Amino acid sequence: MAALCDGFTLCGLASGPSSAEARILSIEQGREADHVIVTDARKSITVYKVSDQKPLGSWTVKQGQTITSPAVYNTQTGEYVVVTDNKVIRVWKDEDCFDKAFKATVSADVARVHALPDSEPVVLFARGGVRILDTLLAAPQQSIEELLPEGEVIRWSESFVKGKQKVVVFTTEQKGEHFVYLHRFNPNCLLKYKLEMEDAGSCLLSVSATVRNKNISFLYLCSRGCLYQSEVPVSGGPAEGVQPLPRTLLLKLPVGDGHLSVAAALSLDEANVAVVGVPHPSEGTRKEFLCIWNTHFQTLQASRELLGQPYGQLWCFSGKLYVPHGRVLTAVPYDCQQSSLAAALGRLKQGHGEGSCPPPPVRSWNSLLHEAAAQPQRSTRGIDTRRSKLRKSQAASITVDQVLEDIKTAPGEDVEREVESFLMGAAGPDLQLAVGQVASQLVTRCLSDPSFYTRNSLARLVHTRCLCHSVCPGLLPLVLEKKDYSLVQLCLQHFPDIPEEVTCACLKAFIDVSDGDLEAVDIEPDSMSLMEDISVGWRKDGNLENGFSPVLLEDDGYEARIPPSKSRGRAGLLDLDVSCPVGLKKAVLLNEILQTAHTESFLLPHLKDLSVQQVLLFLRYLWFLYLKFSQDFNVRTSGLRSPTTVQIIDWVCLVLDAHFTVLVMVPEAKDMLSHLNKFVRSQVRLISELGKIQGSLQNIHKLKQSEDVGLYSIEIIELF
Amino acid sequence: MGEFKVHRVRFFDYMPSGIRCMAFNQRTERLALARLDGTVEIFNFSDRYFQEKVIPGNDARSVEAICWVANRLFTTGLNGEITEYDLENLCPKYSVDAFGGPIWTVACNALGTHLAVGCEDGSVKLFEVLPEKIRFEKNLDRQKGRILSLSWHPSGTRIVAGSLDVINIFDVQSGHMMQRMLVDRGTVNSRTRECVVWSVFFLSDFTIISGDSSGKVQIWDSHTGTLNKAHLVSKWDVLALSLSQDESSLLAGTSEGTVVQFQFLSPTLGASEKEWVRTRTFKHHTHDVRAVAEIGTAVVSGGVDTQLVVRPLLDKVDVKSYDTGLRKIQFPHRPLVSCAAKAGLLLFQFPVQLELWRLGEGEGPGRPGHSLIVTRKPEKLLQLKRKGEDHICCSAISPCGSWVVYSTVSSIRLHRLQYDGSNISIAKVPRLPKVLRSAHQLCFSADSSRLFVASSRSTVHVIALSQSECKYLHTFKSSSGSTEPMHLLAASADGRWLAAANRACEVHVYNVRSRKPHCIVPLYGSCPTAMAIHPSTNNLLMVHADQLIFEYSIEEKQYTDWSRRVQKEGLHRLWLERDTPVTGVTFNPSNASQFLLHDTYMFCIVDQRLPLPDQKAQLYNQLTLKSLSEQDRKSYSHAFKFCKKYQPLLCVSVLEDQSVVVVERPLLDIATQLPAPVRQKKFAT
C-alpha cells in the first residue's frame, strides 16, 4: 500500500522566460536529511529546512553569470559545489559569501557535479569524461578526454556508491537514439549500452535509476505512456563495443490525448512508482496529477491533484516527493509499504460487507416526493461530527509507531488497551496501513512469545475489515494453532484471500475437533440460529408460515420425489429426517469453510490429505445440508448468512473427486455413494425436464414476436 | 368463410389534442370537455360514455375553463371572452368580452344565477345569467396578480379566488376582500418561483381547499384565514381539483400523471370528528392531468396525453358490470376517414386540413398471414387547407372520387376533382345554393349524383350534382319536430332511400325520389353510432351505443326476422361489454348475407345465415376454428367472425374489388408526438 499525505509548499518559483520552461535546475540532498538544496534556474541557490518550510541560506550569482550545474553538498568537506558558466567550479561553505567562494576554471565544459554519500563528489564533463572533484581541483587545467562522438549530448546523469564501487551513469542522445553509459572507477572503465526505443514518434521523457541487489535499475518513461525497466550490473567484466540493453514493460500508463509531453517517473521501491504529469485514469485528459502506481498489480495506489502544470520534474528525498508545478514547489510526504493484491483491491471491498453498511433510513412518502427535503438526516450528522471530534482527540494521543513499539514489549493487557484506543481514533485511508502493521507486529510477538496472545485485539483488528490474509499471513495459522475457533470463524468470514492450503488446514482442524472442545467456544449467534433452524426443522417446532400448516404438502412432497413403487421399500434411502452428523457449533464452523472463496484445482491436492474418516464425516454433513436445503425453502430464504446449494454441491464434488478411489473401497461409504448417485440422477432428470420447458417457452416467445409493420402493407387474412 | 385482401394503412397521422378542462353535469350526466385546440366535446355518461356532440374549435378561440349552468354550457379563454354554445347547432352562440384580459377561470354559483370569471388583470367579474344571454353585473375588489381559480361558497355570499402566492376571499355583496391567505412556495429549489394556485374549492362548512404549483393540496379555514393541513402530493404541480357533490371526496390531478383522492373521513373508527385524508392514488396518465371530475361513482381524468380516463370507484359499486371497468377514451366516436370505394381513394380529416391519398397496389402469392409485395406505393394526392379560422367539422368524398366536400361551422365547400391516374386538378364549385351554410354530416349518394347535407334543426338538404351545375333540390324537415343535430346519414345504393339519425336517437327514413318522409324507425333509447342501408335488400342496419344491432326493412317498415331473432336470443355478453362503440358498418359486395362492423379494437364480419353465438359459446373463436378440420368448423362457427389483428382502428371499408381497407393509428405513434412528461416512470417507484 502506498499513500500520499497532504503536501505543503516549500517555496514559490521565480517566473522564467517562458511559462513551460523548467524553473528549477535541480534539488539535491543537503547537509542533513531534512535539508534540501534548491538550485533555481540560472541564478540562485537556496538551502531549505524542509520540516520547518524555511530557507537556511541563499546565494545568488552575479549578473551575467549563470549556473550550469546544480549545487551539491560535499559531505566530506561540508562545502557546497556549483558550476557556473560551464567551466567555473565554485566551492564555498555555509557561512561564506558567494563572492568569496573558491573558484577554479577547468579546461572543458562540465555537465554535472554529483555528490556521493561518504565520498568526494564526481564531475561529469559534457564530452563524457569523469573526474573525482579533489583530483580535478588539484590540477584544474588538466586535459579532459573526449569520449562521446560528435553530436551526442548528455541528457541525464546520476552517480551511485555500491560497497566501495563508485559508479556514474548517464544517458545520451544522438539523432533520436539513446545510449546509456556506465563509468566505473578503479579501474576506470566506460561501458556503453544502447537503449531500445519504441517505434518512431515516441520519445524518452524521463529516466531515473536506483541501485538494487548489485544492479542498477533504470526506469524510463516514454511519451506513449509506457514505463520500462532495464537493469545493468554495478560491477562486471568490461565489455567491448555497444551492447543492447533489454527492457521490460512495467506499466502502461493511461495517456489522455495520445502523447505525454512533460512527465517524470521515479521508482519509490520495488513495486511503487511515482509519476507526475500523467492523466489520472478517471479524470479525463488533465495531466495535473501526482500519482503512485503499483507496478506489480498495475493499480493506482494514490493520487493527488496539482494546481498548475507540472514541469516533468520529480525528486525524492527522505520520504518526501518534490514536485515543481505552476508557480510553486511542493513537497509531498508519502508512505509505501509492501502491498498485497487484497489490500490493493481491499479499498473497493470496503463498505460492501453486510455489517458495514448503515441501516437504510426510513423515509416518508413526502420526502420521497420532495427529495430536496433532507432535514431528518441533519441531526445525525451533528452527532457524527461530535463523535469524530472525540475520535480525533484520542487519535492525537496515540500513533501507530507508538503502538508498534509497545507491542514488542508491553504486557498483554496493556497492548489490548492500547490497540483498542488506537482503533477508536483511527479512520480514513491510513487505517488500512496501520491495521496491517499492528496485526503483523502482534503476530510476530505471539509467535516469539508463546504465553502472549491478545485475542481481543486480534478480533478487533479483524473486525475493522481492513485486514486480509496476505497483509498478515501469519495470523490465521497462529489462531488455528491457539485453537481459537471463534476467531478462525471471524477470519474466514472477513478475509477474502485465504489460500486453499490454509482453508484445508482449517477444515481438517474443524473436523477433528471434538464437540466437547467446542462447548466453550463462543460462536456468532446468527449462524448458530441458522443451524438450529436447519437441524430442528420447521416440522418439529411447528414454525408456521403465515399461520399456514403445510401438512398435506409434507406428505405429498415425499411421494412426488420418488416413483410410488419404490417409495415403500426405499424409504430409508431418501428419508429426509437425517439427523445432523456433527454438533451444532462444528456445523457452523464447517459452513464457514463452505463459503470461503477457492479455486478447485488448488484445493484438490490439499483435500487429498484428509483421512477416510474425516472425508466420510464431512461428506455425511454435506449430504445432510444438501437434503435440508433441497427440501426446505425456508432455510434458504431466512436471510441469514448460509452456504448456497451450489456451494454444497461444489464441495461434494470436490471431496468425491479427491477421494473417490478410496471411498469406493470403504464399506461404510457405500450407502453414502449410492445416496448421492440417486440424487444426481434425480437432478439430471429435473434438469432435462427444465430443458424441455425452456424449449417450449422459447417457442412461445417466438410466437409473440410481431413483425415490424411499415406505414403501408397489403396483407391477406383468412377468417373462418 | 374466406380470404380477404387487406390494405393496412398507417399513414393517417391523426393527432388528438390534449384535454384542457372539463365539467360534469350531474343532472343530465353529460361531461363537457375542452381540448387544447379549442374543441368542445360532450360525452353522455348514461349512454355508454358515447361522444354525443363535438363543437369544432377555432384558431382564435382557446378554452381555459368550462362551466355548466343548468343545461347551458359556457367557456372562457385567453381571448378574454365568455362564450356560450348552441348545443343544437354545435357552434358558439355568442361571446361577451369581459374586458379584463385573458380569462383563466369561470365558476357558477349554486343557484345558477351568476357567473364569476377570473381575469389576467387580477379582477373577479360577476355576470348575471339571463335567458339567452349574460350581463355584466359588477367587479369585485381588484387585486394584484392574475386570478387562476375561483369557487363560490354554496350559499352564494362568498367567493374564493386563487392567485399567485395568495388566496383571497371576497364578499359577493360588498365586493370587498375579507381574507387573504398566503401560500407557501414550497421546497428550497422552487422558492424563487411564485406559487400558482391552480385550483380552489369553497366547501359549505367554510373550509377552503386549494391545489398549487408546489405540489400541495392545502385545507384552510376561511373564517380565520389559517392553514389547517397541507398534503404534499407531488413534486410538481397540482393542476386540477374536483369535489364530489356531497363534499366527501376530493380529487387532485398532478403533473406527474397521477390523480390523488382525498376523503372526508374520521381517522378513528366511530369518532365523529372528520378530516381530509389522502386515500388513493391513480396513475393512468403519462403526462399532466389538466382536468379531473369526481362524478360520484367514478374518477374522470384527462390531460396532455389526450385520453379521457374513467376509473370507477369500486367502493361505490356493488356488482361487477360494464360500468365497473376502467375505460380509456382515446379516439373520437365518429369517422374521420372517408373512402371512395370505386376510386380507391381515402380522405383524411384533420382539424385544419384534408388529405387525399390513393391506395397502393401489390402482387404476390398471397397466402393467408402473408403480405403482398407492394408494387405501387400509396400516394398523397392532395392536401386541402380549410379556409377561415374554424376547424373542419365533417367531410366526405364521393364514391367515384370526383367530389370532395367539407364543412366548418360557418361554411360548406364543395370541390370537384379530376384525376386521370397521373394528373390531378381540383376546382371549387362556385355559388353553392344559399341554403347550404353549415353541415353536421355530409353524404353522397352511391352514384355520386346527389349530395345530402344534414343541417341545423334536423333538416337534410338534397343537392343534385352534375358536370355543369350544382342544384338545390329539396329539404327534408324533421317530422317529429326534434331540433337535435343529425349525426349519421345513409343513402341506399339504388338512390331511393335516405336514412338520417339525430342525437335524440331518432332515425328518419326519407324517400328521395318522391321527396317525402317515409317513416321513423321505432325509437330506441340508445344513440345510434353507425348505420347503413343494404345495397340489395334495402334493409337499414343500425348499431347503437349500447352495442345492440337492429335491422329494419325500409320497404316493409318493420324489423326484419334476423333483427327479431337477435333481440330474442340476445347478443353475446362479451359483445355487449365491449369498450368502444361501433363506428362503421359496410356490406360485403360479394356476399349479400354478410356485413362488416368495426370499433377501435376489432372488425368483424357478421354472417346473417349462421346461428348467433349463445351465451356459453366462445365469441372470439377464430383461433379455435383455425385449428379444427373443415367438417368440425361448421358445428363450431357462429355469425360473428372477429379480426383483432389491426388495432386501433379508425376506419374499415370495403373497396369495389372486395379488398378491405383498414386505417390504423398506433398509440405509440401518438405517444411519441407528445411532449416529454415531467416525471419519467422509474423502476420500483
Side-chain angles (χ1 to χ4, degrees), chain A residues 438-449:
Chain A
V438 171
S440 309
Q441 194 69 51
L442 275 176
V443 170
T444 320
R445 171 86 192 274
C446 291
L447 288 175
S448 58
D449 178 3

Side-chain angles (χ1 to χ4, degrees), chain A residues 366 368-370 709-720, chain B residues 1 4 6-8 10 187 232 235 369-370 372 622 641 645-646:
Chain A
N366 276 358
L368 252 182
L369 284 169
H370 269 275
V709 186
L711 287 179
Y712 180 71
S713 58
I714 304 173
E715 297 173 5
I716 303 290
I717 58 164
E718 189 179 17
L719 292 178
F720 300 98
Chain B
M1 172 93 189
F4 295 88
V6 179
H7 293 264
R8 185 177 200 174
R10 294 183 151 205
T187 51
L232 189 66
K235 252 195 246 183
H370 289 76
L372 302 188
Q622 285 298 311
K641 320 279 183 194
K645 186 177 178 189
Y646 309 106

Side-chain angles (χ1 to χ4, degrees), chain A residues 95-204:
Chain A
E95 56 272 22
D96 286 350
C97 166
F98 199 62
D99 292 337
K100 291 177 188 161
F102 167 80
K103 265 187 275 186
T105 306
V106 292
S107 59
D109 283 358
V110 176
R112 193 77 197 249
V113 179
H114 285 287
L116 288 171
D118 306 321
S119 97
E120 272 294 307
V122 292
V123 181
L124 172 66
F125 288 89
R127 302 313 311 155
V130 178
R131 294 287 184 277
I132 307 279
L133 182 67
D134 55 355
T135 58
L136 178 67
L137 290 180
Q141 286 302 318
Q142 62 181 282
S143 67
I144 308 297
E145 66 278 8
E146 296 210 348
L147 298 170
L148 299 185
E150 197 60 38
E152 211 172 308
V153 192
I154 296 180
R155 290 289 177 213
W156 168 89
S157 64
E158 190 59 87
S159 64
F160 302 101
V161 180
K162 181 74 186 176
K164 286 182 179 166
Q165 180 74 67
K166 283 188 208 171
V167 182
V168 175
V169 288
F170 55 96
T171 61
T172 60
E173 186 186 353
Q174 184 183 31
K175 293 171 188 154
E177 293 198 318
H178 294 268
F179 301 95
V180 176
Y181 290 86
L182 183 69
H183 184 101
R184 294 194 195 119
F185 292 91
N186 302 329
N188 285 357
C189 70
L190 188 67
L191 301 179
K192 183 176 179 182
Y193 299 92
K194 184 174 183 297
L195 269 186
E196 277 181 60
M197 280 311 293
E198 284 175 314
D199 48 340
S202 152
C203 59
L204 198 61

Side-chain angles (χ1 to χ4, degrees), chain B residues 423-456:
Chain B
N423 296 319
I424 184 158
S425 66
I426 182 164
K428 181 174 176 284
V429 177
R431 293 189 300 281
L432 285 183
K434 289 262 164 13
V435 66
L436 298 183
R437 274 194 304 272
S438 79
H440 297 135
Q441 188 57 273
L442 295 159
C443 172
F444 287 95
S445 63
D447 58 359
S448 304
S449 66
R450 297 279 186 277
L451 169 65
F452 304 108
V453 179
S455 189
S456 56

Side-chain angles (χ1 to χ4, degrees), chain B residues 300-319:
Chain B
V300 185
S301 55
V304 176
D305 62 359
T306 75
Q307 56 183 352
L308 181 70
V309 176
V310 183
R311 166 70 160 81
L313 291 169
L314 293 177
D315 54 346
K316 300 278 174 60
V317 296
D318 298 324
V319 281

